[in-house]
Amino acid sequence: MEKDKKLTVIIGTGDYPKIKNAKVPGNYLEKEEKLSNIKTVAFIPDRIDENINAFRRVISLIYKKEAENKIQEWKNLGKTGTEVAEEIFNNKNIMLLNIYDSGKDETEDIKNCISNNSTNLKVVLLGRIACDNLYDDISGKVSVENIVKYPHPTERSADYIYWRNIDYKGIPKIKKYDDDKTMINFFD
């Protein structure tokens, strides 16, 4: 990794509800001691599984066309989620953090991390909670050109369809609701 490459921080909402998240690798703490309270990594399960949609979509975002092969490689090598997070940080200079870590609100620690690295930083806020908790505070510290707000990648989010061109498995186009004209005409 080039020394002058920007640190990218991808921020989500919280731990997986029924899956164990990967633990934070030591290299996160070497970069930013303010993160010492954070125990888990966002979007990366402890056991690598491409069927976890949010994980697969975030890896697709990071690795693009190589994502499917990368996930398969990690599985074949028996890598833990923590090892995967460490590799992503070492090779791509990307940290994956959650607003809620093991139920505890880590917004202030994340804001401090962003403030400490604001001159050489890109931030990706995934989901309403990450956007609501951080955007206003960090947009004064990080150039707005270096901040992206995007829907959360999980199926629980109604906006997961935005990931259809990122996720290597794609997302089927399902018409979930009628359009507004149908609704208006229904009452005519």
Side-chain angles (χ1 to χ4, degrees):
M1 175 182 65
E2 311 94 55
K3 286 186 179 206
D4 60 344
K5 185 172 181 175
K6 288 184 184 279
L7 171 66
T8 299
V9 181
I10 300 175
I11 303 167
T13 302
D15 299 336
Y16 287 115
K18 296 179 181 174
I19 302 167
K20 186 176 175 185
N21 279 59
K23 292 186 178 9
V24 169
N27 57 357
Y28 276 34
L29 304 180
E30 291 168 13
K31 175 71 179 170
E32 184 56 59
E33 69 179 47
K34 299 254 187 259
L35 299 176
S36 62
N37 293 328
I38 297 176
K39 306 293 182 228
T40 61
V41 176
F43 303 110
I44 301 182
D46 188 50
R47 190 178 61 79
I48 301 306
D49 182 353
E50 77 168 334
N51 294 316
I52 301 171
N53 294 326
F55 165 67
R56 186 185 64 250
R57 291 174 185 150
V58 169
I59 297 304
S60 293
L61 178 67
I62 294 169
Y63 285 95
K64 299 177 180 42
K65 294 181 182 198
E66 296 299 315
E68 186 172 14
N69 293 336
K70 203 67 181 154
I71 291 172
Q72 194 59 49
E73 174 188 315
W74 292 330
K75 282 183 72 171
N76 292 343
L77 293 172
K79 288 206 172 194
T80 66
T82 302
E83 291 169 328
V84 168
E86 185 172 34
E87 180 179 318
I88 291 169
F89 182 71
N90 288 339
N91 296 338
K92 299 285 189 174
N93 207 24
I94 294 173
M95 285 182 161
L96 298 135
L97 303 172
N98 275 324
I99 295 291
Y100 296 102
D101 178 64
S102 305
K104 184 176 178 279
D105 187 339
E106 296 294 350
T107 302
E108 291 307 313
D109 287 342
I110 293 171
K111 285 180 188 177
N112 289 333
C113 172
I114 289 168
S115 293
N116 291 348
N117 295 286
S118 62
T119 58
N120 201 25
L121 183 70
K122 295 189 324 186
V123 179
V124 179
L125 301 171
L126 295 180
R128 182 188 55 80
I129 292 173
C131 293
D132 289 352
N133 283 26
L134 292 171
Y135 185 77
D136 288 342
D137 286 321
I138 68 170
S139 61
K141 296 174 179 80
V142 177
S143 170
V144 291
E145 297 87 36
N146 289 326
I147 303 171
V148 174
K149 299 183 294 183
Y150 206 72
H152 199 278
T154 186
E155 295 293 330
R156 293 176 292 160
S157 164
D159 294 326
Y160 75 93
I161 196 73
Y162 283 88
W163 290 85
R164 72 178 164 263
N165 294 320
I166 297 170
D167 186 342
Y168 66 79
K169 281 193 170 185
I171 296 173
K173 292 184 180 181
I174 299 171
K175 185 175 177 186
K176 190 172 183 178
Y177 297 108
D178 293 316
D179 60 21
D180 58 342
K181 288 179 185 174
T182 303
M183 182 63 161
I184 293 167
N185 291 335
F186 185 79
F187 289 96
D188 286 343

